[in-house]
Amino acid sequence: MLRTFRSLLWAVLALISAAATAGPVNINTADAETLAAELQGVGMARAQAIVAHREAEGPFGRPEDLLDVSGVGPAILEQNVANIRVGEASGAD
């Protein structure tokens, strides 16, 4: 029982640590690897879809524009909205 509790505690601490270290990411300039690493619920396939959408449609104007990307829904947006930046495509936030 104590082992299970310790394992659960370590898992929770790891999740909290990962969430706390996720930094702001500019969805107009980040590459797929960065998007996958920084956004919760976004793996490589979704990250590549975000980049492809940005390349086809132009820069995102607001975080909610991610909902136009196939595979990105309200739950993913809600998990990440505080860390999403949409500054100029030149890199400014």
Side-chain angles (χ1 to χ4, degrees):
M1 175 99 168
L2 185 57
R3 250 189 204 151
T4 302
F5 177 75
R6 284 183 183 164
S7 296
L8 181 60
L9 180 60
W10 280 112
V12 169
L13 290 174
L15 287 173
I16 291 170
S17 176
T21 60
V25 61
N26 186 328
I27 58 174
N28 286 323
T29 59
D31 59 21
E33 291 79 14
T34 301
L35 292 169
E38 296 294 332
L39 299 178
Q40 295 178 26
V42 175
M44 189 52 70
R46 281 193 184 118
Q48 289 170 338
I50 291 168
V51 171
H53 185 277
R54 180 180 72 208
E55 290 174 351
E57 304 294 329
F60 296 97
R62 56 196 182 112
E64 293 79 7
D65 292 342
L66 278 178
L67 296 174
D68 295 333
V69 178
S70 179
V72 178
I76 290 175
L77 179 64
E78 180 65 28
Q79 289 174 336
N80 295 289
V81 71
N83 289 324
I84 294 173
R85 303 292 179 265
V86 291
E88 296 296 320
S90 64
D93 284 329

